[in-house]
Amino acid sequence: TKGDCYAPVLSQLEFRLLIAISCYLKLEIRNGDFTQAFCQSILPVHKRYIVCSPQGCPITPPNTYLKLKRTLYELKQSPRHWYEKTT
């Protein structure tokens, strides 16, 4: 669909190894998406984001802005910060 982007979270070597092992063992390869993986990485202090609180959020008043400390799935840099944390 329009707006989708591919964001690998494996290094090229890890990806090739995974494919080689699955071919050797004759396993079926499937695509997966882990939306909570990026919430584990912390944004650098100089790259903090300000976002509007979601509509209907019961813990924040309406029209409140929040300062992100962790990455979100929608941020363009989330895969990079997650990959830096895991390596």
Side-chain angles (χ1 to χ4, degrees), residues 5-73:
C5 66
Y6 174 70
V9 292
L10 295 173
S11 70
Q12 184 178 6
L13 179 64
E14 293 168 332
F15 182 71
R16 291 178 70 190
L17 181 62
L18 182 65
I19 297 298
I21 291 172
S22 63
C23 288
Y24 179 76
L25 297 175
K26 297 180 182 172
L27 299 173
E28 181 182 349
I29 300 171
R30 295 186 181 177
N31 184 19
D33 192 13
F34 300 94
T35 57
Q36 298 299 318
F38 295 143
C39 294
Q40 303 302 320
S41 59
I42 298 173
L43 283 169
V45 176
H46 64 282
K47 294 224 179 183
R48 297 286 164 99
Y49 289 89
I50 305 294
V51 295
C52 191
S53 64
Q55 290 182 351
C57 183
I59 58 173
T60 58
N63 301 323
T64 304
Y65 289 91
L66 305 170
K67 182 178 176 182
L68 296 181
K69 294 182 179 179
R70 296 186 178 262
T71 59
L72 293 176
Y73 189 71

